[in-house]
Each structure stands twice: as C-alpha cells, then as structure tokens.
Amino acid sequence: MLNRSSFDVIIIGGGHAGIEASVASSKMGCKTLLLTQSILTIGKLSCNPAIGGIGKGHLVKEVAALGGVMAKAIDNSGIQFKTINSSKGPAVQSTRAQADKSLYNKEVYSILKAQKDLTILSQEVKELVLKRYKIIGVITAKELVFNAEAVILTAGTFMNGKLSIGKSYFSGGRVGNKSSKLLPMFLNRLPLKLNRLKTGTPPRLDINSINFKILETQYSDYPLPCFSFYKDLTKSIRQVPCYITKTNKITHEVIASNIEYSPLYNGNIKSIGPRYCPSIEDKVVRFYNKSSHQIFLEPEGLTSNKVYPNGLSTCLPYNIQRYIVRTIKGLEKAHIISPGYAIEYDFINPIDLKLSLESKLIKGLFLAGQVNGSTGYEEAAGQGVIAGINAARMCLNKEAWTPRRDQAYLGVLLDDLCTQGAEEPYRLFTSRAEYRLILREDNADLRLTEIGRKLGLISDSHWRSYCTKANNIEAIHQKLKEAFIYPNTKASSYINNLIVNPLLKEVSCKCLLKRPSITYNMLLTTKGFPYIDVYAFKEVEIQIKYSGYIVRQYEAVKRNISNELIKMPYNIEYNNIPGLSNEATEKLNKHHPSTIGQASRISGITPVVISMLLIWLRKHNMLKVH
C-alpha cells in the first residue's frame, strides 16, 4: 500500500533553484514540499565559493528585491566583498562575495527551516504522476506518493550525472553525492527534449601548502558592499584576502604534452561545456598565443583548509593535475586535497518552456536551474524564484507573472532561455541586456519590490524599509531641486575649485549634480544637507547624472513594449497562416512564442513575418494585450 500526502507545490532538488522556489511558493500561502536527496546538502556551494559577479550580482539583487534567500545568506556568510567594475559606470558594476561554504549552507537551511508552509524531506523522486499530460504528483524511490497541482524540477547536475578524471569515470551529481538515474529514465518516456551538457571544477588545494607571501593580494572593499538592500555590513564576520597567481609557459607545455589524457580531447566526453568558464585544457588549446592565464586563489571558509584555484578547472589525471599545479608561482609545494573533475548531466531544452518556466507540453510541470541548460548559482536562484511564483499562482488560479526584458535581468534570462533554447551552458552577462542602464544593481528594489509585495513575497518589515528608502529618494530630489548655490559665496568658491567654468549665476544643486566633477558628498559638505540614507543618496546621484541616457532608454522601451504585450496563443497552427515561408513556419512551430515580442527575437523571424502575424491575429479576433 502506497503512502499518500497532498501538497500544492512540490519542488524536486535542494540546490539554489529549489531553495528560492520553495520560499517563494510557501510565502504565497501554498502548502509546499521540498524533496532532496540529503537535507544536509541543501544550499551547498558545489563549485566555487562565491556569489555574484558580472551580471550575476544583478540577479542576486533582483531575487532579494522579490524576497528571496540568496542575498541574506551570502551577506551573513561572506568573508570577502568586492564591487566589480567599480571604475566603470553604474550599469555594469556588480557585487561579488567570497563565501564561507559551511556558513552559507547553515544560513540557507536556517531560513528554510523557519519558513511557514514549507516541509522538507530526504527523498529521491523516481517518477512524476501524470493524468492526460497534467501533473498530479510524484512517486519517490521509497514508493511514497505525494500529490500536488504543480511540480518544480530543479535537479541541477544530478540527472544521470557522470564524473570524469582522466580515464576514470563514475556516477554522481557531484563528488560525494549519487546521481539521479530513475527520474531521467522516466522523463525519457515523455515528449521532452533531453540532452547532455558538461561543466567542471578545479582541484582543491591545502591552504597550508601555498606560499602566499610571493603572490598578489586582493582585499575586501571598504565600506563593504552587500547584496541585501537594507543591511549594514560594518559588523560582518571576519574578512580574509584572496590571492592572484598565473599559469606560465611550463604549465602550458605540461598540459599540451598530456592533452590526450584529458577526457575532453580523447573522445570520452562529447557534451558541450560552458564557453565562458572553460577548462585549463581548453584555454591552452583555444588561446595558444596567450603566455599565461590568471588564477584566483579563493579560501573556502574561515575554518576550512581548502583553497579553490578559480580558473584551473580540469579533468586530467590526478598525477598530471599535481604536476600542473606545482608549475605555478606560489604553488610549487601545493598539496591537492581533492582533484578537479568534469561532470556530464542531462538537461531539458528550455525551448519547450513558457516564460513562466512551465512546460508547454505538461501542465503543472515547471523547470528551473541547470536542468534548463543554464550555469551558475545565481541563474539557478533567479529561475527558482520565477518558477516558485508561477507554480503558486497556478495553484491559486491566477495568471502567471514574468518580468519583461526591460524590467529585470530575470526577464532577460527567461527570454534568452525560452526563446533561443540552450545549445551550451547559458551564463548571464550585462552585455545580454539591451536596457542595462535602467537595469542596475542599485535600483533592483525600485523595479521589483512593489511587484513582489503584490505577489505576496514581501514581509511587512521588508516593505517598511523599502517605503522608507523610496520616500528618502523623493525627499532628496526635492531638497536638491530647492537648494541653490549663489555666486560670490563661500559655497560657490568651494564649487568653483572643482569645475572648469566658474559659476556666474545661481544654479540649483540638482542641475549642478549633473556635472561629472560634482558628487553628492560635495554638495552635502557645501549645503549641510541632513545625512538621511546612503543608499538613497547613491540612487539619487545616479538618477540625476545619467538622466539624459535613462530617459532615452525608457523612450526605447516605450517604442518596443507594444509587441511584448501582445499574446500569441499556444495552439496556433502556423501552417495555416497564408504567406509565411517554410522557414518561418518551421521556426514558429518549434518555438511556439508566447508574445509577438518573443517571436521577433527568434532567429530568422523578420519584421515582415511579424507584420503578417499581427494581421492574422487581428483578422481572427485574437489580438490580445496583457
């Protein structure tokens, strides 16, 4: 007799996507079940001990703006915080933090454990229970049946995971954890596009065997940047440095002379790996003209003896890895605690997903994270929160919500995956966003927190903090507008020393702040404005200094938004639309775009095709705007 229990939403997998999906769903009042192989590994940082970076930091901030977990967890476990691209404009500045892996793990679990309406069980799922291609539950390997209206699959690299080191290979989702074999066998019987991808990780080094004295040191920025919008990191845990070293000619010679032992080059691995995070073998082969590659030595925690050599991912045999490591400056006597390896795993092409991350083929099945062909903790977390929101809204009989490309990097991520699919592991960069000046890290809360509140994701205390910041921003704008600097005054003398052309007439502080050489802190000193809120000050300064560019970007959004709001019914028979070319018909049938805007971004779909689609929709009274 099978045991039965009912939930609204079931999440399969306790990685970063599963965590955010669980919290989002349960916050919205849905009875939620998180099923994972091991409760102890929930939120484990499987690869690098860091959160954030170029583009990725934006995602973490957006997840935080929607009430997610990742920002809080890393702020409470970070041992080095930096702002990447600090010398560049605010659009491409990103926060990055090294994590104490053990502390991060504990922080995540403590948040989940306290979450109302969330149950966590150690169970491996072997089958989905379907009725006419609609989800009604799951069956575990121990023959437990759990019923639900929605299931979110966030299996990461665990589906048929295979680890490779040299000629050796073995089953696993990561070292020390078994792979999921039963569920992929079941999924292969469904009309889903399963394929294989590959990623990798470097060897871990013993911190006591590294000569840090001869290496370049990288410290935290001060004041410490953080991911949460309303947290002060002045009382953070102890900060530690990272170190920079480089490969050299000897390193490259060792790799080149042993390349046939790499599974990437001897035919044992045929899957495609991440283009933007290649193995050291790939770097040496593809960039043979480069004499060196940077390696960042990142500690895995305050009490850990492991160091992560970021940039040295490899799956060469252990003895060759040891030889490679010891050719590098500072690592001449380094001891490898655990070797690097490559991992291949099953993923499901996201081209068959709606922008809500629900399957177009199976009602109530949502997918998030590396199972969709993405790579990285942050991309997984972003998809997790969207899948959690929409699974819950489906259970509550509400329409799905997804951010547009002009609203969030989350929108860019969803649109890229669901429109283009994944041929290789997908990584988000700021360069993927056409509206990146209005999608900054600093304004993620201003863009998304009100939406999060309406969705039921934002607590009362979070909302009060947000409203305080929003009111402060408005108040500062008003003060700057009303305050003037007059010629021949002490204030003007101070300002004239900072600008090329001296002030000849009175000017408002708001206009003055548009000048590149003037900062808000200077005006603060000059006019004695009350010190209200550092985050509000920063936001106001960016809004004023870049106002011209921001206005132009919003005008571009207005021009393009009409197509984003026109729905495309899923069941359109594109073969029946007269005038469409065979190529257009084939691509539209393959992608089934959900909006005219999404259709326009499919490779090969021209403006002429879009015009024909609009005419056909209008003729058949199907031109609906949402």
Side-chain angles (χ1 to χ4, degrees):
M1 185 72 179
L2 298 177
N3 293 312
R4 298 183 180 272
S5 189
S6 294
F7 292 84
D8 296 315
V9 178
I10 294 173
I11 291 98
I12 303 171
H16 304 283
I19 291 161
E20 300 296 350
S22 301
V23 171
S25 170
S26 52
K27 275 188 174 183
M28 293 170 69
C30 288
K31 191 179 178 185
T32 303
L33 173 65
L34 172 61
L35 297 173
T36 179
Q37 281 189 8
S38 171
I39 290 176
L40 296 176
T41 59
I42 288 176
K44 184 173 182 179
L45 298 173
S46 304
C47 194
N48 63 312
I51 297 291
I54 306 300
K56 292 171 176 284
H58 291 72
L59 282 178
V60 181
K61 293 269 192 174
E62 290 179 355
V63 170
L66 291 170
V69 171
M70 183 172 272
K72 183 179 179 182
I74 184 59
D75 282 348
N76 289 334
S77 61
I79 55 177
Q80 188 195 78
F81 290 84
K82 293 193 75 67
T83 299
I84 310 299
N85 283 341
S86 58
S87 62
K88 297 182 180 179
V92 294
Q93 291 179 9
S94 295
T95 308
R96 187 178 190 273
Q98 296 298 136
D100 182 305
K101 292 176 82 165
S102 177
L103 280 178
Y104 185 90
N105 197 191
K106 290 174 184 174
E107 281 291 325
V108 168
Y109 184 60
S110 68
I111 294 169
L112 293 189
K113 199 165 66 168
Q115 181 60 45
K116 184 183 174 184
D117 290 324
L118 175 61
T119 302
I120 306 172
L121 292 176
S122 288
Q123 290 285 325
E124 179 184 353
V125 173
K126 72 170 187 176
E127 289 184 23
L128 307 179
V129 184
L130 305 175
K131 186 176 182 180
R132 297 189 186 92
Y133 288 101
K134 181 184 184 304
I135 284 286
I136 59 172
V138 303
I139 303 174
T140 73
K142 293 182 179 179
E143 299 298 329
L144 300 178
V145 176
F146 297 101
N147 297 324
E149 287 188 55
V151 169
I152 306 175
L153 178 58
T154 69
T157 59
F158 279 71
M159 292 211 302
N160 273 330
K162 186 184 87 169
L163 282 57
S164 295
I165 305 173
K167 292 181 180 179
S168 303
Y169 61 88
F170 46 97
S171 176
R174 60 180 164 233
V175 164
N177 296 103
K178 66 178 184 176
S179 67
S180 172
K181 292 183 174 294
L182 298 173
L183 185 57
M185 286 172 60
F186 173 80
L187 294 176
N188 268 308
R189 304 202 296 266
L190 301 178
L192 301 171
K193 295 182 177 74
L194 266 75
N195 214 320
R196 301 282 279 174
L197 287 176
K198 168 260 169 188
T199 188
T201 192
R204 305 307 196 268
L205 309 179
D206 186 342
I207 196 168
N208 299 309
S209 64
I210 299 172
N211 183 6
F212 294 110
K213 293 178 181 178
I214 61 173
L215 300 180
E216 180 184 342
T217 309
Q218 196 174 51
Y219 296 99
S220 291
D221 290 342
Y222 285 95
L224 297 176
C226 60
F227 288 97
S228 302
F229 285 99
Y230 314 111
K231 181 178 176 65
D232 183 0
L233 281 191
T234 54
K235 295 181 180 178
S236 66
I237 61 175
R238 180 164 61 90
Q239 300 292 286
V240 298
C242 294
Y243 297 86
I244 300 174
T245 185
K246 291 180 180 179
T247 61
N248 52 58
K249 184 180 178 182
I250 298 172
T251 313
H252 297 186
E253 286 173 355
V254 171
I255 293 167
S257 62
N258 289 282
I259 201 71
E260 71 271 19
Y261 298 110
S262 170
L264 299 174
Y265 287 90
N266 63 20
N268 287 344
I269 290 178
K270 297 181 174 64
S271 309
I272 298 173
R275 180 187 309 189
Y276 303 105
C277 188
S279 68
I280 193 64
E281 297 100 293
D282 273 339
K283 289 179 185 177
V284 168
V285 171
R286 286 163 52 190
F287 309 110
Y288 55 87
N289 288 328
K290 287 203 71 173
S291 59
S292 66
H293 296 281
Q294 259 190 351
I295 308 295
F296 294 88
L297 300 178
E298 303 171 347
E300 293 204 347
L302 297 176
T303 58
S304 173
N305 67 332
K306 291 182 181 179
V307 170
Y308 181 95
N310 195 339
L312 202 60
S313 174
T314 181
C315 56
L316 282 161
Y318 170 80
N319 62 321
I320 298 174
Q321 290 189 34
R322 182 171 174 270
Y323 193 4
I324 291 167
V325 165
R326 293 192 170 186
T327 65
I328 298 170
K329 182 180 178 181
L331 308 182
E332 292 87 354
K333 297 181 180 180
H335 172 62
I336 294 178
I337 295 174
S338 57
Y341 60 87
I343 179 167
E344 296 178 277
Y345 56 94
D346 287 352
F347 82 105
I348 298 170
N349 199 314
I351 203 169
D352 286 334
L353 297 180
K354 301 175 186 177
L355 291 173
S356 64
L357 295 180
E358 184 185 13
S359 170
K360 295 174 182 176
L361 308 169
I362 300 169
K363 184 172 175 56
L365 175 62
F366 294 78
L367 296 96
Q370 283 184 274
V371 72
N372 285 339
S374 65
T375 182
Y377 309 140
E378 303 82 2
E379 287 88 346
Q383 292 170 68
V385 75
I386 297 298
I389 288 168
N390 289 312
R393 286 183 71 80
M394 192 197 79
C395 294
L396 298 169
N397 295 314
K398 295 182 179 180
E399 190 176 355
W401 174 79
T402 55
R404 300 186 308 271
R405 293 182 72 93
D406 61 277
Q407 284 183 304
Y409 274 91
L410 288 170
V412 176
L413 171 67
L414 296 174
D415 188 57
D416 284 354
L417 287 173
C418 299
T419 303
Q420 306 299 337
E423 301 294 329
E424 61 184 38
Y426 174 93
R427 179 179 176 180
L428 187 74
F429 289 100
T430 52
S431 58
R432 293 190 187 271
E434 56 270 53
Y435 304 116
R436 60 180 175 268
L437 187 54
I438 59 176
L439 302 182
R440 306 181 308 276
E441 266 197 6
D442 60 270
N443 71 354
D445 56 339
L446 302 180
R447 290 184 277 116
L448 297 172
T449 298
E450 283 192 56
I451 295 171
R453 179 69 170 179
K454 290 174 184 174
L455 291 169
L457 298 168
I458 304 300
S459 67
D460 290 343
S461 60
H462 186 164
W463 181 244
R464 283 194 296 271
S465 297
Y466 166 78
C467 289
T468 298
K469 177 182 173 181
N471 291 336
N472 286 342
I473 288 171
E474 189 176 340
I476 293 168
H477 269 294
Q478 192 61 33
K479 285 182 181 296
L480 288 170
K481 186 178 178 181
E482 294 171 352
F484 282 79
I485 303 289
Y486 295 94
N488 304 316
T489 62
K490 187 177 180 181
S492 67
S493 298
Y494 174 75
I495 294 296
N496 285 338
N497 288 328
L498 304 170
I499 58 180
V500 176
N501 298 315
L503 298 179
L504 300 177
K505 61 178 182 178
E506 71 272 10
V507 61
S508 74
C509 288
K510 190 166 186 175
C511 288
L512 201 56
L513 193 55
K514 291 181 180 180
R515 302 195 184 198
S517 58
I518 301 298
T519 68
Y520 189 90
N521 282 334
M522 293 172 184
L523 296 178
L524 203 67
T525 303
T526 305
K527 298 298 292 183
F529 293 139
Y531 191 84
I532 305 173
D533 177 346
V534 66
Y535 300 113
F537 291 155
K538 180 181 177 183
E539 181 61 34
V540 168
E541 185 166 355
I542 291 170
Q543 288 178 4
I544 291 174
K545 282 196 179 299
Y546 294 89
S547 57
Y549 300 104
I550 290 170
V551 166
R552 266 180 284 190
Q553 206 144 89
Y554 276 119
E555 287 172 352
V557 170
K558 285 180 184 177
R559 288 195 297 270
N560 297 325
I561 201 166
S562 57
N563 283 350
E564 302 298 333
L565 299 177
I566 299 174
K567 282 186 173 181
M568 298 278 287
Y570 178 73
N571 58 358
I572 291 178
E573 291 288 343
Y574 291 101
N575 295 6
N576 297 333
I577 299 180
L580 288 182
S581 66
N582 290 336
E583 180 190 10
T585 301
E586 180 185 343
K587 290 191 173 183
L588 290 166
N589 278 327
K590 178 183 177 183
H591 288 261
H592 282 285
S594 59
T595 67
I596 284 289
Q598 190 181 15
S600 70
R601 289 186 290 277
I602 297 171
S603 175
I605 299 300
T606 64
V608 174
V609 172
I610 296 301
S611 297
M612 293 168 71
L613 291 175
L614 289 169
I615 292 168
W616 188 88
L617 288 170
R618 190 175 291 110
K619 182 179 177 181
H620 290 80
N621 297 316
M622 298 170 74
L623 197 61
K624 295 180 181 178
V625 176
H626 70 106

